[in-house]
Amino acid sequence: MSRATRAFKVLISHPNVPAPALELLRSRGAETIICQSVPPSRDEILQKVPGVDAIYWAHYQPLNAGILDAAGSQLRCVSTMSSGIDFVDIPEFQKRGIPLGHTPGVVKNAVADLAIGLMIAAGRHFHAGRTEIERSQWKIEQINWMMGQEIRDSVIGFFGFGGISQAIAKRLQCWDVAKIIYHTRTRKENDGDFKAEHVSFEQLLQESDFLVVAAPLTNETREKFNGKAFDLMKRSSVFVNVARGGLVNQTDLHDALTTGTISAAGLDVTTPEPLPANSPLLKVPNCVILPHMGTQTMKTTIEMSLLAANNILNAIEGKPMIRPAY
Ligand SMILES: O=C(O)C(=O)CO
């Protein structure tokens, strides 16, 4: 056992946290108390959390005062196993001075791969094409059928230019794109590494052939992509969201897709999640929808799980978390 600490208790909110993360915690003195319900049950968490030293939050349900109160005043730290932390009441953590960690960075490659998949799937009408086969409407004899948007010679726009956007931009360096532009509050110093240009939000909307959303959900970004925004986009543009459904007004997106205001959308995230099977968005042929699986590769999931475990171990050992959330 390396750098053994006194025994401490960690509540693990989900039974499927990868074994390497559990083994790491145990090798450093943790007693792991693992919730067994899938999806996680708040009742089970509330029953098991009293008295723990740390909480390993491996799902997206609200993490707030109710959980912290139930844990008790001995609680020393919490880490989510996620990059996004929009479901966490951060002011409550700050008020109590409880260190909070999360797992950005390690998610970027898997999400970038999936984002490019969505750009192509939406831009080249994968879902509409499949639907036409099922409807026996295969019209290959029509030269202008299923015309899509190529990545080559396109302006690629990013809303947010953190790790995920930069991983996409890095991949696209050899795709012969016309230009890479992005909108963030302030210019990113390393944007030259990606030959990317900082632009206003309006310019991003007006110039992008593909507009990729990869930014946190905050009060400032909530429903940033609404009817007004879609109206400014090109009619041929492809909208991709790999961040959070809450950045988009989904009714307005539905209207923009069905009225031809924009050409297509590729979404890994929606509101709500899970998206109900009768959602009108699922009936829109020019919308490719995935069930929030951006990080669903074993490699990335293990990396996320180890980072969350190391956040906790650092805090327990009195060191700064590797990826503190505030
Ligand atoms: O890590 C996150 O926040 C995710 O949304 C994973 O897809």
Side-chain angles (χ1 to χ4, degrees), residues 4-322:
T5 43
R6 72 160 182 81
F8 58 96
K9 291 183 185 172
V10 184
L11 184 283
I12 312 281
S13 76
H14 197 294
N16 299 145
V17 167
L22 300 177
E23 284 156 15
L24 174 65
L25 287 167
R26 290 173 188 144
S27 76
R28 302 267 280 272
E31 177 193 337
T32 50
I33 301 164
I34 303 178
C35 294
Q36 297 301 327
S37 316
V38 180
S41 136
R42 203 162 180 89
D43 284 348
E44 186 186 3
I45 292 169
L46 290 172
Q47 188 206 324
K48 292 188 170 162
V49 80
V52 300
D53 300 280
I55 299 176
Y56 186 119
W57 198 257
H59 64 296
Y60 300 90
Q61 286 171 17
L63 175 50
N64 52 21
I67 300 292
L68 301 180
D69 285 343
S73 59
Q74 79 299 324
L75 182 70
R76 291 160 68 190
C77 60
V78 178
S79 181
T80 69
M81 191 183 126
S82 66
S83 172
I85 43 171
D86 45 287
F87 50 87
V88 184
D89 186 344
I90 295 176
E92 195 59 42
F93 275 78
Q94 288 169 320
K95 195 174 85 189
R96 298 175 189 230
I98 299 174
L100 171 70
H102 65 145
T103 63
V106 292
V107 305
K108 69 181 180 191
N109 291 307
V111 179
D113 290 352
L114 186 113
I116 292 175
L118 279 174
M119 289 165 70
I120 297 171
R124 301 296 300 278
H125 308 305
F126 281 17
H127 180 58
R130 161 82 190 222
T131 307
E132 293 293 74
I133 298 172
E134 287 175 4
R135 295 172 59 238
S136 299
Q137 293 295 320
W138 186 313
K139 298 189 195 120
I140 198 74
E141 72 281 359
Q142 293 181 17
I143 285 179
N144 63 355
W145 187 60
M146 290 288 158
M147 288 295 165
Q149 177 74 35
E150 276 187 56
I151 290 182
R152 175 180 57 147
D153 293 336
S154 288
V155 175
I156 314 294
F158 292 101
F159 182 72
F161 205 59
I164 294 172
S165 297
Q166 293 187 6
I168 301 169
K170 181 178 164 193
R171 285 159 170 71
L172 293 182
Q173 295 301 308
C174 55
W175 286 58
D176 299 327
V177 302
K179 194 158 70 157
I180 294 178
I181 58 178
Y182 70 97
H183 177 72
T184 49
R185 264 181 307 196
T186 51
R187 209 199 118 217
K188 295 275 181 181
E189 275 178 19
N190 67 342
D191 60 6
D193 298 350
F194 307 95
K195 301 187 199 81
E197 185 190 331
H198 186 247
V199 296
S200 68
F201 185 55
E202 285 67 30
Q203 248 178 301
L204 180 81
L205 297 169
Q206 286 162 347
E207 290 185 20
S208 299
D209 293 307
F210 288 87
L211 200 164
V212 181
V213 179
L217 174 62
T218 62
N219 287 338
E220 203 185 323
T221 61
R222 191 175 302 280
E223 301 208 355
K224 188 87 178 164
F225 292 88
N226 51 28
K228 213 169 120 204
F230 294 126
D231 282 345
L232 287 177
M233 289 173 65
K234 296 181 187 177
R235 291 179 77 80
S236 57
S237 64
V238 178
F239 177 78
V240 170
N241 186 6
V242 291
R244 286 288 183 267
L247 279 99
V248 177
N249 179 314
Q250 218 160 260
T251 307
D252 291 359
L253 174 63
H254 180 272
D255 290 350
L257 288 167
T258 50
T259 57
T261 305
I262 64 170
S263 161
L267 311 175
D268 186 39
V269 286
T270 55
T271 308
E273 289 180 7
L275 190 67
N278 64 356
S279 165
L281 211 51
L282 288 166
K283 304 275 181 298
V284 179
N286 48 345
C287 188
V288 177
I289 307 186
L290 301 178
H292 197 154
M293 50 195 217
T295 56
Q296 293 301 109
T297 70
M298 214 52 226
K299 190 176 173 68
T300 291
T301 302
I302 288 175
E303 285 169 356
M304 291 169 75
S305 72
L306 289 172
L307 178 50
N310 277 312
N311 279 335
I312 287 175
L313 289 168
N314 272 24
I316 291 287
E317 293 170 5
K319 293 183 282 195
M321 286 187 164
I322 296 165

